[in-house]
Amino acid sequence: MGRHDILAPEVRDDPYPFYARLRDEAAAVQVDPFGLWIVTGYDDVVDVLKRTDEFSSTGNQRTTGGELFGGMTPATIITSDNPTHDRLRSILHKRFTPRRVSTLQARVEDLTQGLLRDIRHQREFDLVTDFTIPLPVIVIAEMLGIESARFEDFKIWSNALMLLMNGAEGEEEQALRAVMGEFAQYLMGMADHRRSHPAEDLIGTLVDAEKEADRISAPEVLGYCVLLLAAGNETTTNLIGGMTLALLQNPEQLSLLRSRPELIENAVEEGLRYCSPVQGLFRKTLCDARVGEVTIPEGSEVMVCYAAANRDPSRFDNPNQFDITRHCKGHLAFGLGLHFCLGANLARREARVAIERLLPLLEDVEPTFDRVEWVDSWFLRGPRSLPFRRLDRAAA
């Protein structure tokens, strides 16, 4: 591999020096091993996200993991341009407004307190396994209408999807596709049940939209559910885990947040900027497209790198410093424009509740890891494991 290997172990450990080298080299740089073009500068990323007539979301299979279900790859809101995008997004848009998400506050609080109560009964625990994974998984599964007995399967399906999107090959790919086939069968069964037994959950809302001419097809219902599975829990899991790690690595910021709890909303925004749980998403060029002084050929795959833009020193002072008092308005953790993340309000609310409730726990525990292991993905980022043990005074 060449010097721009995005899968290199040192890049997995810390991608930000890699992004900085790319940003210093050119507005867009082609990397190994995929031949992918990466756009890293803040202004260039914003420019590309706005140029939907040249940089298309349609036909880019990496975001959905390719043809997951027997060769069928239905359109979703992140793999389509207008008018398809707006047609699909409008179906669930009102379910994710700030006002609608606020109605979930009590449930998120209850889940958070229950998970942390279970943790406090353990001498040793893994914050990722025991908290940052189950919280958003349960929230989105309940919103979809998944029965509680399938929550663990739900996470297995999500993991399989992420590994497929990460480029699994050979026997691993076949095994993962089999797992996703099971998920597809489950979802199709759920959708069929909702057609005869209407409900107010997200699957019920999607199925209800099938009644309107040309609003959504049965395959698109399936694709929407797959997207909600991935986006509804992976991003928030990585955000909460990444923020926890950032606070531990910056104890002065942790102390500041404890003393000034009113900073929690801004702290979450800084966590989004600093951690960038989704490192970037993908586009394909519809023509020879110019970014800065670089011309990207028609038909090329492009990664619009939110994480690199969020650490661009031309936009954010001391960008590699985690500062919960920073004015970080304008970060791109949720994208921009047409494809701004549908679930942004939900992710923010879950993260605020989770971090607020975690603060007392972190006083009574100590980490037992020397080195952080990251999730097995080059476009998603978050700690795979955060093991802790209770301090003696906490066990007394």
Side-chain angles (χ1 to χ4, degrees), residues 106-334:
R107 181 56 178 151
V108 174
E109 291 272 7
D110 286 346
L111 286 170
T112 299
Q113 298 285 35
L115 291 168
L116 293 179
R117 186 164 52 247
D118 291 343
I119 284 175
R120 287 189 177 277
H121 292 151
Q122 302 177 43
R123 174 69 181 177
E124 296 183 347
F125 63 92
D126 188 318
L127 192 69
V128 174
T129 301
D130 296 330
F131 183 69
T132 72
I133 286 176
L135 176 61
V137 165
I138 294 171
V139 170
I140 193 62
E142 288 184 348
M143 290 178 71
L144 280 163
I146 307 296
E147 63 267 35
S148 59
R150 303 307 296 266
F151 286 173
E152 289 189 12
D153 290 333
F154 199 68
K155 185 57 185 175
I156 291 171
W157 295 328
S158 180
N159 288 341
L161 177 61
M162 292 303 103
L163 290 170
L164 277 171
M165 292 168 64
N166 201 44
E169 298 177 343
E171 292 183 2
E172 181 189 21
E173 180 186 8
Q174 294 305 311
L176 292 170
R177 289 189 183 279
V179 172
M180 291 308 298
E182 295 171 5
F183 181 45
Q185 291 298 318
Y186 174 79
L187 286 177
M188 287 188 284
M190 285 286 295
D192 284 342
H193 185 72
R194 288 292 180 271
R195 291 181 183 105
S196 56
H197 299 80
E200 292 296 316
D201 53 47
L202 296 182
I203 294 178
T205 302
L206 290 169
V207 166
D208 188 61
E210 289 178 334
K211 299 174 185 177
E212 302 177 44
D214 301 322
R215 187 79 188 277
I216 190 170
S217 66
E220 287 170 340
V221 169
L222 182 61
Y224 222 138
C225 291
V226 172
L227 172 63
L228 291 168
L229 158 74
N233 76 84
E234 296 290 344
T235 301
T236 310
T237 288
N238 292 336
L239 172 60
I240 298 170
M243 274 197 70
T244 302
L245 186 60
L247 288 166
L248 292 172
Q249 293 174 335
N250 296 272
E252 76 289 347
Q253 296 297 303
L254 179 56
S255 296
L256 179 60
L257 187 56
R258 285 190 176 120
S259 64
R260 295 184 58 191
E262 71 276 9
L263 288 173
I264 184 62
E265 289 193 19
N266 200 72
V268 169
E269 295 307 307
E270 173 66 349
L272 285 161
R273 182 202 70 83
Y274 182 83
C275 301
S276 293
V278 177
Q279 298 279 282
L281 287 181
F282 306 95
R283 301 290 186 268
K284 276 198 174 179
T285 49
L286 298 176
C287 58
D288 289 353
R290 198 165 181 81
V291 181
E293 298 301 314
V294 178
T295 298
I296 303 177
E298 179 181 354
S300 296
E301 185 179 20
V302 179
M303 179 182 181
V304 191
C305 192
Y306 305 153
N310 285 338
R311 298 282 189 103
D312 187 341
S314 72
R315 178 62 177 80
F316 299 101
D317 293 335
N318 301 314
N320 295 316
Q321 178 181 341
F322 180 67
D323 178 5
I324 65 172
T325 67
R326 179 193 301 275
H327 178 70
C328 50
K329 184 177 180 180
H331 71 71
L332 301 176
F334 290 124

